[in-house]
Amino acid sequence: MSQWIDFLTGNFVSGLLGAVIGGGASIGGARMQAKASDRTARDTAAKAAAQEAYDLLGELRSTLAGRTPVSSPEDRAAWNREQRAMVLRAWTGVNLLPESEDARRTRCRKVLRLIEPFDDHVTWDDYVFLTTMALSDVMGNLGTYVSGRPVPEHDDVKGRIEAERKRRRRMELGRRLVALEEEHERYGLSPEGQQLAEEIKTELGVQHSRELAAEELAAITS
């Protein structure tokens, strides 16, 4: 009788252990599956947000390329509000990039900060060009994320934009100086014109437009 009881007890214990192990494995598997499902859902949501931000910045780039130059203070204020709203919405999408995309997310944030409001310190054409440089960089990072491609090689976009800003500023000042010199030769300059010419020459570091670099002078007079 005791052997029979031992046999039954052993079977019971074995069955109980099997049930516990099996149940634990099922629970563990369910948890892993749930985590994988959550991760997939987060990745899907992040890519959808990145795609929305990409489309939004593409719309902003197209709007910049197609609209007439902003001139009046009222138009400038309205444009800056519109641009700011679109950039902030894109920023929200960038923030939803996962931790695994920290380099890409950091890059996008850095470049979005370079998008400035339009003011009188640059021409509208220069503003469009410089802003488009920043927009294209962010879109490149978002687009490669959505398509599953690696993070693009990151150069010093801030340095590129600043160098282009300075180049375009010199070009604009050079053109104005050439125009003032021609006006001086034909008609003479007013005191205001003379003062402006001196200010431009000081900023350019020259006494006459012919002292500009050959490539600058060629671009200005072409």
Side-chain angles (χ1 to χ4, degrees):
M1 177 66 73
S2 62
Q3 292 178 351
W4 180 247
I5 292 174
D6 290 342
F7 173 76
L8 292 176
T9 303
N11 283 345
F12 174 77
V13 172
S14 298
L16 181 60
L17 287 174
V20 170
I21 293 172
S26 298
I27 293 172
R31 287 179 177 175
M32 291 180 62
Q33 185 176 3
K35 288 182 179 179
S37 179
D38 289 344
R39 184 166 57 250
T40 300
R42 288 195 299 270
D43 289 345
T44 300
K47 286 190 174 182
Q51 181 66 59
E52 183 177 356
Y54 178 92
D55 293 342
L56 191 64
L57 295 178
E59 179 183 347
L60 178 55
R61 187 172 64 178
S62 297
T63 301
L64 273 169
R67 71 166 296 156
T68 56
V70 171
S71 54
S72 71
E74 294 78 15
D75 286 345
R76 185 165 62 245
W79 164 254
N80 288 334
R81 285 194 300 271
E82 179 182 353
Q83 176 190 264
R84 182 62 176 167
M86 296 178 78
V87 170
L88 286 176
R89 287 170 58 193
W91 186 284
T92 300
V94 168
N95 283 342
L96 292 177
L97 292 176
E99 292 295 332
S100 60
E101 298 294 335
D102 183 62
R104 200 186 307 258
R105 182 175 55 191
T106 299
R107 171 70 171 196
C108 289
R109 288 171 173 170
K110 176 182 177 181
V111 180
L112 283 175
R113 291 190 184 99
L114 300 177
I115 299 177
E116 299 178 349
F118 175 60
D119 56 32
D120 292 331
H121 291 93
V122 295
T123 67
W124 175 254
D125 287 344
D126 288 352
Y127 171 77
V128 170
F129 186 91
L130 296 170
T131 303
T132 299
M133 287 178 66
L135 291 173
S136 297
D137 190 275
V138 179
M139 290 176 67
N141 278 274
L142 292 174
T144 50
Y145 169 66
V146 172
S147 61
R149 287 177 286 165
V151 179
E153 183 177 350
H154 288 161
D155 62 354
D156 182 13
V157 65
K158 183 177 181 180
R160 281 196 297 115
I161 290 176
E162 187 58 31
E164 183 64 22
R165 187 194 307 277
K166 290 180 179 178
R167 188 189 73 81
R168 286 174 169 262
R169 171 69 175 171
R170 287 186 64 85
M171 293 282 289
E172 176 64 20
L173 290 176
R175 291 189 185 96
R176 293 170 69 183
L177 180 58
V178 168
L180 287 169
E181 289 171 346
E182 291 177 350
E183 182 180 347
H184 175 66
E185 292 176 1
R186 294 177 180 177
Y187 314 110
L189 288 176
S190 66
E192 292 80 7
Q194 294 175 8
Q195 181 179 354
L196 177 58
E198 290 302 319
E199 291 174 354
I200 292 175
K201 287 187 286 187
T202 298
E203 184 170 343
L204 292 175
V206 299
Q207 291 300 315
H208 194 279
S209 63
R210 60 175 171 268
E211 297 178 17
L212 293 168
E215 61 272 16
E216 286 183 325
L217 194 56
I220 289 169
T221 57
S222 61

